Amino acid sequence: MISSKDKELEDLINKLQSTHIDPKEAIRLQIKASRYITESPLDTPPATVGGFDLSFPNNARAAAIVIESSTMETIEEILEDMPVTMPYIPGLLAFREAPVILRAYNSLKAKPDVIMIDGHGRAHPRRFGIACHVGLILRKPSIGVAKSLLIGNAEEPGDNKGDWNPITLGNEVLGAAVRTKPGAKPVYVSVGNLISLEQAVELVLKMTTKYRLPEPTRRAHMLASRYKNTR
DNA sequence: GCGACAG
DNA sequence: ATCTTGTCGC
């Protein structure tokens, strides 16, 4: 049986991929789509983790990296370009960046078990940041890793790698401020889809070596920016 | 009305 | 995100 709810989700997933959309409509879509996000724990530990980031040499350029979690080795890299169709509006970042990210994801031969995206997941005004947006469209476990807060507050975590405090807003826990490197500002982690916050934090820490950002996102950032002043 | 505001 | 060199600190 195909329920009406399945059809609504299918319809939402299509609309979330619009390359041109009115901000008011975009906000309505986020509010509806937010209800389909799942924060249930992952049952199988991820063997591969994908990382995505963008640069804007001219058009929008997305870099996708797939890393084997047991060895931390990059097993695939992809670069995709696409014209920019939306301006940057706080809270609506996904409508500007998701299209190229999805194109890069589709180009990957080795589909990762979990994906990490630059930006927030549930730590968002409508609880539907870019990590939720991409995670819902792909129906794939996703994690948001941001370098600054969009909403909510968090106490400064301790200075040891692994120390973290919740990002809260009222009685809600939206994510976690995680110390990935002593002496460096924390990273803000939140659930995108199909994973628990605890597992998201755990995976971000596992994928972090000697830098502030976890390897998936860090390598994707380097790859996306590499040829900025070249080809 | 006055700020705040992922990338 | 992007424009950009040197420089302060661990």
Side-chain angles (χ1 to χ4, degrees):
Chain A
M1 291 290 110
I2 297 176
S3 74
S4 60
K5 277 302 175 186
D6 290 333
K7 290 167 72 176
E8 180 188 58
L9 175 57
E10 197 178 317
D11 182 50
L12 271 171
I13 285 178
N14 286 324
K15 290 177 176 171
L16 287 175
Q17 296 178 69
S18 306
T19 51
H20 296 278
I21 189 169
D22 168 60
K24 294 295 181 187
E25 172 64 6
I27 288 174
R28 281 192 285 269
L29 290 178
Q30 292 182 324
I31 293 171
K32 282 191 179 179
S34 171
R35 302 196 304 262
Y36 290 96
I37 292 301
T38 302
E39 298 195 39
S40 58
L42 249 180
D43 44 19
T44 310
T48 57
V49 182
F52 298 80
D53 192 31
L54 303 197
S55 69
F56 296 82
N58 172 36
N59 288 325
R61 171 168 296 171
I65 293 275
V66 179
I67 298 175
E68 188 171 55
S69 61
S70 61
T71 62
M72 293 303 277
E73 272 182 52
T74 296
I75 59 178
E76 192 176 356
E77 303 180 328
I78 287 292
L79 272 180
E80 288 290 347
D81 283 25
M82 202 175 220
V84 176
T85 58
M86 291 284 286
Y88 165 65
I89 300 172
L92 300 182
L93 174 69
F95 290 92
R96 173 179 168 84
E97 304 195 342
V100 220
I101 288 179
L102 292 169
R103 172 170 292 189
Y105 177 87
N106 290 327
S107 296
L108 289 172
K109 288 182 62 181
K111 304 302 187 191
D113 295 326
V114 177
I115 61 180
M116 297 192 359
I117 297 181
D118 239 37
H120 292 102
R122 304 230 85 179
H124 175 278
R126 268 84 60 191
R127 313 296 180 268
F128 198 73
I130 190 167
C132 298
H133 191 113
V134 174
L136 183 65
I137 289 172
L138 297 177
R139 300 160 185 279
K140 160 92 54 181
S142 62
I143 299 170
V145 182
K147 298 181 290 300
S148 64
L149 283 175
L150 176 56
I151 57 163
N153 301 288
E155 300 284 305
E156 186 73 16
D159 200 41
N160 293 312
K161 176 178 178 180
D163 287 344
W164 64 276
N165 279 325
I167 296 171
T168 62
L169 186 58
N171 302 312
E172 279 184 277
V173 171
L174 307 179
V178 184
R179 185 125 274 150
T180 49
K181 175 181 181 176
K185 294 177 60 60
V187 148
Y188 301 94
V189 178
S190 60
V191 170
N193 196 20
L194 303 170
I195 192 169
S196 69
L197 176 60
E198 291 70 22
Q199 293 176 320
V201 169
E202 179 182 33
L203 189 58
V204 163
L205 287 168
K206 179 180 182 183
M207 301 305 288
T208 300
T209 58
K210 56 191 297 193
Y211 305 97
R212 175 164 85 122
L213 297 178
E215 292 303 298
T217 286
R218 196 184 72 83
R219 290 179 198 175
H221 189 292
M222 290 185 68
L223 178 58
S225 308
R226 172 176 260 165
Y227 308 104
K228 199 163 295 180
N229 301 305
T230 313
R231 273 182 184 178

